[in-house]
Amino acid sequence: MANMTTAHPGPGSDPSNTTSVYRYGRALARQPKKIQDLSDKIGWRIALLLNISEKHGRSDDQLERCVETFLCDAQRIIIRLRIIEKVLPQRRSRSLSTSARSSTMKQKMQEAHNSSRSQFLVKTTFTVMSIADGVASVEKTLIEIRDGVRVLLGTHAIEATHHVHAPARLPGRPEVLNGRTDEVNEYVELLCDCDPEGIAIIGPGGIGKTSLARALLHHRRVVAAFKDLRFSSLWKASSIWSRRPSGWRTHWDYHPLRSHSKRRFRICTSKRPIGFLLVIDNFETLWFHDDRAAETDTVDLFQRLQTVPSLTLIVTCRSGVSPNGVSWSTAKLQPIALSAAHATFVHIAGAVAGAAEERSLSELLRAVDCVPLAVTLLARLAKVPGNPTSSLLQRWHSEHTKITKTSDLDRESSVEVSIQVSLDLLARTSAGKEAAQLLIVCAYLPDGLRPTVFEQMADSISNISEARNLLLTFALVSLGGAGELIMLSPVRHFVLSQSTATGADYSVNTHLAALRTIYFRIAATAPQDPSGDFSSRVSAFAPEYGNLSSYLLHLIRSEEPSQDLFAAVDAAANYSYLTNPSTALLDAFRLRLEGHSRWLAECLAWIGRIRLKRCEYALCMESLIQARILYEEHGNVDSQIWCACLLARSLNACGRSEDAEQELLAAQALLSKSERSPWKYLVHRDLGIIYFGRNEYEAATGHFVTAKDECLRTGRRLHAAQCSRWLAMIAVRQGRLPAAELDIQLALSEFEALGDLLGAGQCFVDLGQIKYLQSDLESAATLFARAEVTLASVGNPYTLADCHWWLGNVYRDQGRKKDALDKFDAARILWESIDTKETRTYAEYCSQEIAELKA
């Protein structure tokens, strides 16, 4: 190693300093006893190995474990002997018998012989020197024994023990480490460089910092570079309030000495670096203190550690702030990819059974943002019989982070404990209160606190910029691509549960009231009509839609219904219908509308409309019937007509065209009671669709033309384009393909201008059918592929299944059997999910095609 400044007699030190010599003697005196203990263990294991060899009474695994332990103990003895050899004087001329300096030291030691302290010192010094005299021969003997055992046990033992150089007290390898290959390779290069750099692994709780550090510690290249001189130390939260670090002791019992007078760390320096690696886990609990003296000690410690040329540091920390004067390469970890999270889950819990469980698993992994600790704990739950992924997904939606609780409440076995460590550290900072308030606000916004909203919140939260910097420092939030503050799902749900359980204070409620006002203004800007610059309005509003839905859902559950809340929910529902139809918000709102029949009727009508678009016909009719009853009670004729049209579409899709026609004829009769009804075009258009399905093209054409004229008169461009598309499809049925193609192209241009993805996707399918009928298979395949991309996010399985069916026909005719099988199977699954008489027939057609292709 080298001289230990003022800790042992060496060049430049005063040999009369008995205290320094005493400390040096105690440090070295421990080595002979430990070597003796290890030697005893080796003797016992040699006897055990001989016993195993003779009786063959143990398994190969037991034999290999015994060999590994033997080789590890032998290696540790060699390392201890090397340590003694390096700290003792390097030349025989410095021995007590030949050197004048040593003679002086011997005389002083003999003079102090009467004291117990000096007796110990003399005994220790001579013991160490006698061991040092034989260090070379002892080491040689141990190496011969080790190599001899390897030869006797055969090559299988050599292969099994190639990694046994790790000191016994090192933490083990991570159970699984998927998705970190790039990070491991990058940091191994840094560690194994001729001038190795220190590394700080930064990230929020549960992101995999400790696992990555352990993987680096046991990497084969790192083992080859540092061999047994790899050490690990963990600071736990319980020790951060003491004035000194805990857990510094390594497997060879060396630790930085501390002066009781100056309360400073003494660090061993080296003239001839040995090269050793030290991993400090959970560094933030050592670094962040209320006690400035303790923080100064930490700064002093790490400044001194950086001066040791032979030392390479790896620290894991939740904060990106390093002690002053300390520099290291920073590695900021992000959640792993979905594929890596899936591989981790399957590695622990085993493969899931069935496509439904696979879909549940993917949704579950996305729900936890692929945070490695959450994925690991969920996988351990799934490993227990009776815990399928579908059940875990339901439990996550209801329990959130509570689902990951275990009996071992530590940061590596509980997501909540890991997050709480960061929150406790945050609370100890000067702006911790404001940061906690901002964190609660961020928790209500799953898509992140965007800069525009952040600026508006500045009037409510004082020191908001400092609070933001603190949250970024402790990795409780991260910056998104547009500058938004984003929280990982487990952190967000835990913060929400804590704020709800403890009750938000007055200041937090004030901030949430400000957030309520901001998002009600945002809801008022939601695009309501697909006309004009609809696409640009969608692009401007879309980034806030997820936050708006999440916050409205919170308001629905926490406060009584009000006019402004109803208006915001209505705007969000309309936007959802036009872009990505979902009833989650409306389903929750409906349960809170008892005693508000008008609002309930509107809510049920919206639910029915969205379910119709999603081809959920039975649920659609159930909601619409309830809504129509409420409209009749209030005498709302126009809304009754609207419900009748939606019911007629559901009935027609279920193969009940006569019932659908009766509903529409009844609605047409109601039009006489409402001369200015906005739904006249809707009644005629839906009658035209019914007659088209019956091949009554003349009647259908009359209704479509009437509906189109009414739409043009009232400025309904989107619905006029829909009528044009239906008229084009009549032309296709009648064999007038060029005219039909021209009309569909015009309708497609209108749909694209208005941003209607469903209409555009239907036009691509129609154009593809025309090209298929014209035997232009290449053009047909291109159009159907464009339709698939356009329809992917619409949420209409019927049209998407129709697209898959036609593309399967194209691939079959092109001789692409495998691609055709995939498309027919995808169409079959979607049509079976709709489950009507018509779609069941189509699903059978797909099955027949699949059987013929396989035959």
Side-chain angles (χ1 to χ4, degrees):
M1 233 171 234
N3 296 333
M4 191 179 301
T5 307
T6 70
H8 69 89
S13 64
D14 183 2
S16 64
N17 188 338
T18 307
T19 301
S20 298
V21 176
Y22 171 71
R23 286 178 180 167
Y24 174 55
R26 284 187 62 87
L28 293 180
R30 286 193 290 268
Q31 300 300 333
K33 183 178 186 305
K34 291 196 172 291
I35 290 175
Q36 182 62 47
D37 292 342
L38 289 170
S39 299
D40 293 341
K41 288 182 181 180
I42 282 185
W44 176 79
R45 287 195 175 91
I46 289 175
L48 181 60
L49 286 170
L50 292 174
N51 185 51
I52 294 173
S53 178
E54 291 174 0
K55 297 185 178 181
H56 303 284
R58 297 180 182 268
S59 67
D60 290 341
D61 289 342
Q62 291 172 321
L63 178 64
E64 289 179 4
R65 283 197 298 271
C66 188
V67 173
E68 287 183 7
T69 310
F70 164 78
L71 296 176
C72 187
D73 287 341
Q75 192 74 6
R76 289 169 67 188
I77 290 181
I78 293 170
I79 292 299
R80 291 175 190 278
L81 292 173
R82 287 176 179 170
I83 290 170
I84 295 173
E85 185 181 29
K86 288 182 180 295
V87 299
L88 285 175
Q90 299 296 315
R91 297 181 180 180
R92 179 63 63 180
S93 59
R94 290 191 177 184
S95 66
L96 293 177
S97 59
T98 59
S99 172
R101 181 188 181 94
S102 299
S103 299
T104 304
M105 183 187 298
K106 181 176 181 180
Q107 182 179 357
K108 288 183 177 293
M109 291 168 61
Q110 289 174 346
E111 291 174 356
H113 186 72
N114 292 331
S115 67
S116 59
R117 198 174 198 186
S118 295
Q119 288 179 19
F120 169 80
L121 179 61
V122 171
K123 180 180 178 181
T124 297
T125 303
F126 281 105
T127 302
V128 169
M129 291 178 66
S130 64
I131 291 177
D133 289 337
V135 64
S137 60
V138 172
E139 180 174 346
K140 180 180 178 182
T141 302
L142 285 171
I143 291 174
E144 290 174 354
I145 294 174
R146 182 188 64 187
D147 295 342
V149 170
R150 283 178 172 169
V151 172
L152 287 173
L153 292 175
T155 57
H156 71 281
I158 297 175
E159 295 299 323
T161 59
H162 72 279
H163 59 273
V164 302
H165 301 289
R169 295 189 185 182
L170 283 182
R173 291 176 175 79
E175 179 181 7
V176 59
L177 190 72
N178 289 311
R180 299 294 189 203
T181 303
D182 292 341
E183 289 89 344
V184 169
N185 292 338
E186 179 183 352
Y187 307 143
V188 166
E189 288 295 332
L190 292 176
L191 294 174
C192 297
D193 191 15
C194 58
D195 185 17
E197 298 183 25
I199 297 173
I201 303 175
I202 310 298
I207 204 67
K209 302 182 296 296
T210 299
S211 296
L212 179 58
R214 290 180 179 178
L216 294 174
L217 197 61
H218 292 281
H219 192 276
R220 57 179 182 80
R221 289 186 60 193
V222 176
V223 172
F226 294 94
K227 296 184 171 51
D228 294 84
L229 300 184
R230 292 170 292 124
F231 312 112
S232 178
S233 181
L234 168 66
W235 271 271
K236 295 184 180 296
S238 59
S239 68
I240 64 176
W241 318 126
S242 64
R243 291 291 302 277
R244 59 188 178 85
S246 63
W248 189 269
R249 194 178 302 272
T250 64
H251 79 291
W252 46 285
D253 286 338
Y254 171 76
H255 60 86
L257 300 175
R258 186 166 184 148
S259 167
H260 294 285
S261 58
K262 295 183 179 180
R263 303 186 67 81
R264 288 288 186 269
F265 294 104
R266 303 188 184 278
I267 308 299
C268 174
T269 59
S270 176
K271 288 184 177 179
R272 298 193 307 172
I274 301 174
F276 58 98
L277 176 66
L278 175 61
V279 175
I280 301 177
D281 195 15
N282 213 19
F283 171 67
E284 69 279 349
T285 55
L286 174 68
W287 169 225
F288 291 96
H289 287 278
D290 278 347
D291 188 341
R292 292 300 178 187
E295 189 171 306
T296 302
D297 284 344
T298 304
V299 173
D300 179 71
L301 167 65
F302 280 87
Q303 287 176 345
R304 290 172 181 264
L305 284 176
Q306 257 201 324
T307 66
V308 180
S310 57
L311 173 64
T312 301
L313 273 177
I314 299 177
V315 301
T316 71
C317 187
R318 296 162 191 257
S319 167
V321 177
S322 62
N324 293 331
V326 176
S327 61
W328 41 46
S329 298
T330 302
K332 293 184 178 180
L333 294 188
Q334 301 296 328
I336 56 179
L338 179 62
S339 57
H342 185 279
T344 299
F345 190 96
V346 171
H347 177 87
I348 298 172
V352 297
E357 289 297 313
E358 277 287 353
R359 288 192 293 271
S360 295
L361 174 57
S362 297
E363 189 175 347
L364 178 63
L365 297 176
R366 290 190 184 95
V368 299
D369 281 343
C370 296
V371 173
L373 178 58
V375 172
T376 299
L377 296 178
L378 288 170
R380 291 174 185 170
L381 285 175
K383 196 174 182 179
V384 178
N387 275 336
T389 53
S390 55
S391 173
L392 290 178
L393 179 60
Q394 293 176 359
R395 287 184 59 191
W396 171 262
H397 287 317
S398 59
E399 302 176 37
H400 297 302
T401 53
K402 292 185 178 64
I403 190 177
T404 61
K405 278 189 175 179
T406 63
S407 56
D408 300 324
L409 295 180
D410 61 71
R411 65 188 182 90
E412 293 188 16
S413 58
S414 171
V415 172
E416 293 192 341
V417 172
S418 181
I419 298 170
Q420 189 62 53
V421 170
S422 297
L423 297 179
D424 291 342
L425 292 169
L426 180 69
R428 304 187 68 83
T429 60
S430 57
K433 182 178 180 180
E434 291 81 3
Q437 294 168 355
L438 180 60
L439 189 67
I440 292 174
V441 170
C442 292
Y444 286 99
L445 308 175
D447 291 342
L449 179 63
R450 298 180 67 80
T452 53
V453 179
F454 178 84
E455 292 171 2
Q456 296 176 66
M457 289 299 299
D459 297 333
S460 175
I461 301 177
S462 60
N463 299 325
I464 191 170
S465 296
E466 184 178 354
R468 176 187 59 186
N469 293 337
L470 268 179
L471 295 181
L472 291 169
T473 295
F474 285 96
L476 288 166
V477 300
S478 60
L479 281 178
E484 67 273 22
L485 299 178
I486 301 176
M487 295 176 69
L488 292 174
S489 173
V491 180
R492 190 171 66 84
H493 286 297
F494 178 70
V495 170
L496 283 177
S497 66
Q498 291 297 99
S499 63
T500 304
T502 58
D505 59 25
Y506 173 78
S507 58
V508 172
N509 288 328
T510 302
H511 307 325
L512 294 180
L515 192 67
R516 183 181 190 272
T517 302
I518 293 169
Y519 273 93
F520 279 1
R521 287 200 298 263
I522 291 174
T525 66
Q528 301 296 302
D529 182 37
S531 60
D533 57 344
F534 180 71
S535 298
S536 60
R537 286 183 288 135
V538 167
S539 299
F541 180 79
E544 285 291 6
Y545 174 67
N547 289 335
L548 175 64
S549 298
S550 177
Y551 192 56
L552 288 178
L553 192 60
H554 160 70
L555 294 178
I556 288 169
R557 293 169 176 170
S558 61
E559 66 178 50
E560 290 297 318
S562 60
Q563 182 60 48
D564 54 355
L565 179 59
F566 172 77
V569 172
D570 184 69
N574 197 350
Y575 175 81
S576 171
Y577 174 80
L578 294 172
T579 54
N580 188 17
S582 170
T583 62
L585 199 61
L586 294 164
D587 288 335
F589 196 38
R590 180 186 62 177
L591 301 176
R592 301 278 295 174
L593 292 177
E594 184 178 355
H596 302 274
S597 59
R598 292 182 184 274
W599 292 345
L600 180 59
E602 294 289 336
C603 184
L604 289 168
W606 267 119
I607 291 173
R609 191 180 182 191
I610 291 174
R611 285 175 172 167
L612 174 62
K613 191 172 185 179
R614 292 169 54 178
C615 302
E616 299 170 354
Y617 300 122
L619 295 173
C620 167
M621 289 187 283
E622 178 185 342
S623 299
L624 291 173
I625 290 171
Q626 295 177 27
R628 186 165 64 175
I629 292 172
L630 292 173
Y631 285 137
E632 289 174 352
E633 291 177 357
H634 295 289
N636 191 331
V637 177
D638 287 340
S639 295
Q640 292 178 53
I641 296 172
W642 186 52
C643 282
C645 292
L646 297 178
L647 275 169
R649 272 186 255 169
S650 294
L651 290 167
N652 189 49
C654 293
R656 298 165 58 185
S657 63
E658 291 80 6
D659 293 336
E661 184 181 9
Q662 291 303 315
E663 284 285 349
L664 290 172
L665 292 175
Q668 193 171 21
L670 286 174
L671 288 174
S672 61
K673 297 181 181 180
S674 179
E675 295 180 358
R676 297 183 178 180
S677 174
W679 308 123
K680 179 181 178 180
Y681 83 92
L682 199 58
V683 174
H684 286 287
R685 189 198 67 182
D686 289 349
L687 281 169
I689 292 173
I690 291 174
Y691 295 136
F692 176 84
R694 296 178 184 175
N695 298 327
E696 300 176 11
Y697 300 130
E698 184 175 350
T701 300
H703 283 290
F704 285 136
V705 169
T706 302
K708 181 178 179 180
D709 291 342
E710 181 68 17
C711 291
L712 293 174
R713 186 182 67 82
T714 56
R716 298 176 184 272
R717 292 173 54 195
L718 175 65
H719 301 289
Q722 290 173 347
C723 292
S724 296
R725 174 181 169 269
W726 280 108
L727 289 168
M729 292 308 298
I730 291 175
V732 172
R733 293 281 185 93
Q734 294 175 340
R736 296 183 286 115
L737 298 184
E741 184 176 1
L742 179 60
D743 289 341
I744 294 174
Q745 287 283 7
L746 293 174
L748 174 61
S749 300
E750 194 75 355
F751 285 132
E752 289 181 330
L754 296 173
D756 185 0
L757 295 179
L758 177 59
Q762 289 172 333
C763 285
F764 282 127
V765 174
D766 295 340
L767 290 171
Q769 292 180 39
I770 291 173
K771 294 299 181 183
Y772 181 77
L773 294 173
Q774 294 173 339
S775 299
D776 187 355
L777 298 183
E778 288 296 332
S779 298
T782 301
L783 288 165
F784 288 134
R786 289 188 66 184
E788 283 185 324
V789 174
T790 306
L791 294 168
S793 61
V794 171
N796 187 292
Y798 187 97
T799 307
L800 186 58
D802 194 34
C803 181
H804 289 327
W805 161 260
W806 281 104
L807 192 52
N809 281 280
V810 172
Y811 288 156
R812 180 200 59 202
D813 293 351
Q814 289 179 330
R816 298 165 60 180
K817 180 184 290 189
K818 184 178 183 303
D819 293 332
L821 283 171
D822 292 340
K823 294 305 174 183
F824 284 131
D825 191 52
R828 178 187 60 79
I829 292 172
L830 287 173
W831 270 323
E832 287 178 349
S833 69
I834 299 171
D835 195 26
T836 66
K837 181 179 179 180
E838 180 186 31
T839 57
R840 284 194 294 270
T841 302
Y842 293 156
E844 290 176 4
Y845 291 160
C846 289
S847 299
Q848 292 172 8
E849 290 288 346
I850 291 171
E852 291 178 6
L853 285 170
K854 289 184 176 179

